[in-house]
């Protein structure tokens, strides 16, 4: 196993910070809005972070309806739209809109490629696009038809995942109007194995969460279905086949009306017990499915947590905003035709309890679809990108986290790559322990999708509680049907402020 650290440039930021949200009474940080004018454009939907140009900082793709898409190149904390210059701006037709986005190195050449899912009103024959990254991010080329993934449908959650454990990225595409698709990667081209695998859920899917739910060394997937349809949970049998175990686990949500249903999914170890739980943003009461590992099973824990509201939620993202060691949750609302339905930022109090602490600044311009935490300015804390697709008032604001220096330094960010340094390890698990002890600080997953129909390629982020110094890092990757775990001891998080720790397995 190779382990290395990649130095990242750090921006101090020179924008006006007068508009700062003060949450001192709750113990949470304030936020400001850097480059507010740049992010004032209307109609944004998916948003996904990735270092597409390999310069060490995170860039941001944002998909739109009613206008061209944007790719924000990060230049030391200042974002610049370069979508037109690299070939990612244009919509396929005048009536098409970008609804989904996923980053992954599908061809194993060391840079990140981009899948964009489209819909069209009225529906015709617009197809999704897989853009291959060429010349180090200087241009993106549509290779969808060439590699066999030019899907036509109402696309929602795509995910680059290695479902068969052979070391390359396969592609899953959730569709709201037809059966979901699974494409096996065979040397950089894709073979549609939907029918043979049994994963082609024909219900109206919006969200999907891939992870090793049964700890057997391969990726399973929870399927969030809308418009009254039952949810699915497809167990990977390890031989190319999947079976829906949601009814057996009691997770299928039968009997919902046409106006109710599951929408976005967000994976997290919210209770710091070492396993991954599922939050489901819903039209209807939001859900937390608490993992009962080592047994295969989940218990609904939504009631009496502070998260049990019925808000017409669309998507959500977890992140330790205040570096207390507990994952907080931002939940996005959408209620047509209300452009500014309030969002919710929930602070995790531990013990399965949350409190609502949404900053007034975020209520001014909330989201309706996209939501993603990332440390774009490389100062150690998590910033927030949102997307609101309202055609008259919606924007896609970026909120910078203003934790004090002493607090933001209590963090560690980790990238998990394959031995060649390629981004093919989606679904890997990272755990952080107090050095030399069995005290678990938290668990993270290398993203397999989330927010709104998006998949970022970004470091996992740990906030570190007060009083914790050095830590042990444990990484579990899934290889050929096995869980392979490596533990790196006595790491000093302060040494990695402004850069991430890179682990190659």
């Amino acid at each position: 196993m190779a382990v290395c650290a990649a130095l990242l440039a750090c921006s101090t930021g020179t924008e006006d910070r007068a508009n700062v949200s003060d949450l001192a009474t709750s113990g949470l940080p304030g936020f400001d809005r850097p480059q507010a004018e740049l992010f004032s454009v209307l109609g944004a939907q998916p948003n996904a972070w990735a270092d597409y140009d390999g310069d060490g900082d995170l860039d941001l793709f944002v998909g739109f309806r009613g206008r061209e898409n944007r790719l924000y190149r990060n230049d030391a904390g200042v974002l610049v739209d370069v979508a037109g210059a690299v070939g990612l701006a244009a919509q396929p037709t005048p009536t098409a809109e970008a609804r989904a986005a996923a980053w992954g190195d599908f061809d194993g050449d060391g840079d990140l490629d981009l899948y964009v899912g489209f819909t069209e009103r009225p529906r015709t024959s617009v197809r999704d696009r897989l853009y291959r990254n060429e010349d180090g991010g200087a241009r993106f080329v549509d290779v969808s038809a060439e590699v066999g993934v030019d899907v036509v449908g109402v696309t929602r959650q795509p995910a680059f995942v290695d479902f068969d454990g052979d070391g390359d990225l396969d592609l899953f595409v959730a569709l709201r109007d037809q059966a979901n698709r699974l494409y096996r990667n065979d040397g950089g081209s894709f073979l549609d194995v939907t029918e043979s695998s049994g994963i082609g859920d024909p219900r109206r899917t919006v969200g999907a969460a891939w992870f090793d739910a049964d700890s057997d060394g391969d990726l399973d997937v929870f399927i969030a279905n809308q418009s009254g349809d039952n949810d699915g949970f497809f167990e990977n049998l390890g031989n190319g086949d999947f079976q829906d175990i949601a009814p057996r686990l009691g997770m299928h949500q039968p009997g919902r009306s046409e106006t109710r249903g599951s929408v976005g999914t967000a994976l997290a170890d919210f209770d710091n017990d070492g396993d991954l739980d599922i939050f489901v943003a819903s039209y209807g009461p939001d859900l937390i499915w608490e993992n009962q590992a080592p047994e295969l099973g989940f218990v609904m824990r939504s009631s009496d947590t502070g998260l049990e509201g019925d808000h017409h939620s669309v998507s959500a993202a977890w992140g330790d905003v205040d570096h207390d060691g507990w994952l907080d949750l931002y939940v996005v609302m959408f209620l047509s035709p209300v452009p500014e339905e309030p969002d919710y930022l929930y602070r995790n109090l531990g013990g399965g309890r949350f409190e609502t602490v949404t900053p007034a600044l975020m209520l001014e311009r909330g989201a309706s679809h996209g939501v993603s935490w990332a440390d774009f300015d490389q100062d150690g804390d998590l910033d927030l990108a949102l997307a609101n697709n309202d055609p008259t008032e919606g924007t896609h604001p970026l909120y910078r986290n203003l934790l004090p220096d002493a607090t933001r330094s209590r963090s560690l960010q980790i990238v998990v790559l394959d031995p060649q340094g390629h981004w093919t390890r989606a679904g890997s698990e990272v755990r952080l322990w107090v050095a030399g002890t069995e005290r678990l600080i938290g668990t993270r997953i290398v993203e397999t999708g989330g927010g709104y129909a998006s998949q970022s390629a970004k470091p996992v982020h740990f906030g570190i509680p007060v009083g914790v110094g050095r830590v042990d890092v444990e990484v579990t990757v899934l290889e050929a049907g096995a869980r392979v775990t490596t533990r790196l001891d006595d790491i000093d998080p302060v040494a990695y402020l402004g850069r991430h720790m890179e682990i190659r397995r």
Side-chain angles (χ1 to χ4, degrees):
M1 177 178 183
V3 180
C4 61
L7 182 64
L8 299 184
C10 184
S11 170
T12 59
T14 59
E15 297 85 352
D16 180 7
R17 297 195 177 203
N19 190 13
V20 175
S21 170
D22 182 7
L23 290 176
T25 56
S26 72
L28 282 172
F31 294 85
D32 71 357
R33 292 188 61 196
Q35 300 180 257
E37 183 63 27
L38 181 67
F39 299 104
S40 64
V41 174
L42 310 176
Q45 300 188 125
N47 55 1
W49 296 93
D51 181 11
Y52 83 91
D53 53 1
D55 66 351
D57 53 25
L58 289 172
D59 314 293
L60 177 64
F61 176 83
V62 183
F64 287 83
R65 70 174 182 183
R67 66 182 62 251
E68 293 187 330
N69 300 318
R70 291 191 170 191
L71 176 63
Y72 292 111
R73 188 185 66 214
N74 190 341
D75 294 339
V78 177
L79 299 183
V80 180
D81 179 22
V82 297
V86 302
L88 291 178
Q91 303 287 7
T93 69
T95 56
E97 57 184 81
R99 274 282 184 173
W103 291 99
D105 186 4
F106 86 91
D107 52 0
D109 66 351
D111 53 32
L112 287 162
D113 312 295
L114 179 65
Y115 186 92
V116 181
F118 295 96
T119 62
E120 190 170 29
R121 300 179 185 182
R123 298 175 191 171
T124 54
S125 58
V126 64
R127 59 182 177 83
D128 292 354
R129 302 287 195 268
L130 175 56
Y131 296 99
R132 185 170 58 209
N133 186 336
E134 297 191 352
D135 302 328
R139 61 193 181 104
F140 286 80
V141 177
D142 177 13
V143 295
S144 313
E146 175 186 335
V147 302
V149 291
D150 49 344
V151 182
V152 176
V154 182
T155 303
R156 290 302 186 260
Q157 179 68 66
F160 285 109
V161 290
D162 183 11
F163 84 89
D164 53 1
D166 65 352
D168 56 23
L169 287 176
D170 312 298
L171 177 65
F172 172 83
V173 183
L175 296 157
R176 203 184 180 287
D177 64 334
Q178 58 189 275
N180 301 328
R181 305 286 180 83
L182 181 62
Y183 296 93
R184 190 181 67 219
N185 191 336
D186 291 335
S189 294
F190 291 91
L191 178 66
D192 189 339
V193 295
T194 304
E195 185 173 351
S196 63
S197 69
I199 203 173
D201 193 331
R203 295 168 290 196
R204 287 164 285 192
T205 302
V206 180
W210 287 85
F211 66 116
D212 187 6
D214 50 8
S215 299
D216 66 349
D218 49 38
L219 290 169
D220 315 291
V221 59
F222 175 85
I223 300 294
N225 292 322
Q226 206 177 58
S227 302
D229 289 343
N230 292 354
D231 291 338
F233 203 145
F234 287 83
E235 181 183 15
N236 189 336
L237 302 181
N239 59 358
D241 295 338
F242 290 80
Q243 64 177 0
D244 185 5
I245 59 173
R248 173 161 64 88
L249 297 180
M251 299 177 69
H252 54 315
Q253 295 288 294
R256 295 182 292 191
S257 71
E258 183 76 13
T259 61
R260 301 280 181 160
S262 301
V263 191
T265 58
L267 290 168
D269 179 14
F270 84 94
D271 49 5
N272 284 350
D273 64 352
D275 52 42
L276 293 165
D277 314 293
I278 311 170
F279 179 84
V280 186
S282 304
Y283 290 175
D286 293 333
L287 311 175
I288 282 189
W289 291 108
E290 182 186 317
N291 197 328
Q292 301 300 293
E295 302 298 324
L296 175 57
F298 293 78
V299 174
M300 191 182 296
R301 296 295 191 203
S302 308
S303 60
D304 299 322
T305 63
L307 298 177
E308 57 268 22
D310 182 345
H311 304 299
H312 215 254
S313 307
V314 173
S315 53
W318 295 92
D320 186 357
V321 184
D322 52 357
H323 291 181
D324 65 352
W326 296 96
L327 283 168
D328 311 298
L329 180 67
Y330 195 96
V331 182
V332 168
M333 310 299 154
F334 173 76
L335 188 60
S336 180
V338 181
E340 294 299 337
E341 182 70 9
D343 295 341
Y344 287 80
L345 175 58
Y346 296 105
R347 184 188 184 192
N348 191 338
L349 303 175
R353 295 291 301 164
F354 294 81
E355 65 174 352
T356 302
V357 294
T358 320
L361 183 64
M362 292 177 183
L363 293 174
E364 290 175 10
R365 281 289 182 269
S368 66
H369 287 73
V371 52
S372 185
W373 296 100
D375 182 14
F376 88 95
D377 55 0
Q378 301 163 308
D379 66 351
D381 55 28
L382 288 172
D383 312 296
L384 181 64
L386 299 178
N388 190 320
N389 75 354
D390 184 78
T392 60
E393 297 184 45
T395 63
H396 58 293
L398 177 64
Y399 295 99
R400 180 170 48 199
N401 192 332
L402 301 176
L403 277 178
D405 290 350
T407 307
R408 66 179 175 83
S409 65
R410 298 199 322 265
S411 63
L412 183 63
Q413 302 191 65
I414 300 168
V415 166
V416 181
L417 304 174
D418 67 18
Q420 292 73 43
H422 301 163
W423 195 279
T424 60
R425 294 304 196 192
S428 296
E429 300 161 13
V430 185
R431 292 175 177 82
L432 204 65
W433 308 80
V434 177
T437 76
E438 292 305 310
R439 177 186 165 191
L440 180 67
I441 296 172
T443 307
R444 306 289 187 265
I445 184 171
V446 178
E447 187 174 316
T448 59
Y452 179 75
S454 300
Q455 182 183 17
S456 295
K458 61 188 179 185
V460 298
H461 172 277
F462 290 90
I464 298 176
V466 173
V468 175
R470 304 178 82 88
V471 298
D472 298 338
V473 178
E474 180 183 281
V475 177
T476 299
V477 300
L478 310 180
E479 295 179 344
R483 293 172 60 86
V484 181
T485 298
T486 301
R487 188 155 167 160
L488 308 174
D489 294 335
D490 203 31
I491 303 299
D492 181 10
V494 176
Y496 288 91
L497 183 61
R499 57 177 182 160
H500 61 243
M501 180 180 183
E502 183 178 292
I503 298 177
R504 300 187 181 191
R505 169 72 209 189

